[in-house]
Amino acid sequence: MIKKQIIALGGGGFSMEQSPLLDDYILNQSVDNPKVCFLGTASGDNEAYIARFYRRFSQAGCQPTHQELFRRDGRDLETFLLSQNIIYVGGGNTANMLAIWQLHRVDKILRKAYEAGVVLCGLSAGSICWFEAGVTDSFGGDLAAYPCLGLLKGSHCPHYDGESERRPAYHRLIQNGAMVGGVAADDGAALHYINGELHQIVASRGGAGAYRVGVSGQEVIEVPLEVERLN
């Protein structure tokens, strides 16, 4: 049976923290010396962001590569992405990323990759995208609900403790029916799903948490989840 994995970081990894723990955890869920592809679509394929990825993963016992869509090369996207062991999605504008993915059929390719056992992961926009919906700042102003790929059931809110407006916005959006309930994750926490089920939550620092959030009647219910701190 193919093991389908998604690792959604509330925040952290190579672009947000000095600790290597979350990125190492991701690498350990795949084969030895895995091929790791970075998708920086949400940041407009920002060159500095891509360079940071290579600085981190060129020293991490893996084979790093990346795929740009704003400066797309001539290779076949499906063949290339399905040849990877891990696809790591960066942060940025979720709505723009999903629109570009749809234009280039990357959304459909990622579904195939997931079904084939490629480990999918990412932070912020790269964590929201796997769920039915997520809390996004893609449009400026107030945080809003936005529909995503739906590989995982429910909604997701990253940066739960890292941005002061995230928690109240998530509560409000669930309470008023703008999105279904789901799971929130602090910066430094990662949600590891296997075959669509939440398998484990790990953290790179003490105090980083995750929460299942829903409604009962008109009341928002927030339940802390067990988190394992990585060493």
Side-chain angles (χ1 to χ4, degrees):
M1 180 179 176
I2 292 175
K3 189 177 181 181
K4 298 182 290 187
Q5 299 187 80
I6 293 176
I7 304 171
L9 283 62
F14 74 94
S15 64
M16 283 189 66
E17 59 185 356
Q18 294 298 314
S19 171
L21 293 175
L22 292 181
D23 291 334
D24 286 348
Y25 179 84
I26 291 168
L27 292 174
N28 288 336
Q29 308 314 310
S30 187
V31 299
D32 290 339
N33 194 32
K35 292 180 284 186
V36 184
C37 179
F38 180 62
L39 291 181
T41 318
S43 66
D45 292 326
N46 179 274
E47 293 181 357
Y49 200 176
I50 294 168
R52 286 161 70 189
F53 166 77
Y54 279 104
R55 280 198 298 272
R56 166 65 177 99
F57 284 91
S58 292
Q59 306 174 33
C62 64
Q63 303 173 61
T65 186
H66 76 286
Q67 178 62 58
E68 299 183 33
L69 296 178
F70 286 85
R71 297 176 294 269
R72 181 174 168 178
D73 55 29
R75 62 187 165 194
D76 182 80
L77 286 177
E78 182 167 337
T79 301
F80 175 68
L81 291 175
L82 289 179
S83 73
Q84 303 301 307
N85 302 115
I86 300 170
I87 295 175
Y88 196 130
V89 179
N93 190 300
T94 305
N96 288 357
M97 176 183 74
L98 291 170
I100 295 296
W101 280 1
Q102 184 177 36
L103 181 65
H104 292 267
R105 296 187 65 255
V106 170
D107 55 342
K108 294 181 174 59
I109 296 169
L110 289 173
R111 289 179 183 276
K112 290 185 178 182
Y114 177 63
E115 295 292 337
V118 177
V119 178
L120 305 179
C121 64
L123 76 157
S124 196
S127 63
I128 291 169
C129 64
W130 314 117
F131 293 80
E132 291 181 88
V135 181
T136 181
D137 57 3
S138 295
F139 304 100
D142 292 339
L143 292 163
Y146 198 76
C148 298
L149 297 180
L151 296 178
L152 298 174
K153 297 291 186 183
S155 65
H156 175 53
C157 181
H159 306 305
Y160 207 51
D161 70 338
E163 298 177 8
S164 61
E165 294 303 313
R166 290 279 176 170
R167 191 179 211 141
Y170 195 37
H171 285 201
R172 182 182 71 252
L173 292 166
I174 292 174
Q175 191 170 37
N176 67 21
M179 64 166 51
V180 297
V183 181
D186 291 340
D187 290 343
L191 312 170
H192 185 183
Y193 287 80
I194 297 179
N195 298 330
E197 300 295 330
L198 185 54
H199 167 69
Q200 187 176 29
I201 304 168
V202 296
S204 59
R205 61 177 177 85
Y211 309 85
R212 194 168 297 280
V213 185
V215 291
S216 178
Q218 295 299 311
E219 183 182 1
V220 175
I221 305 297
E222 181 181 284
V223 179
L225 300 172
E226 183 178 349
V227 177
E228 177 183 340
R229 184 176 179 184
L230 299 170
N231 294 315

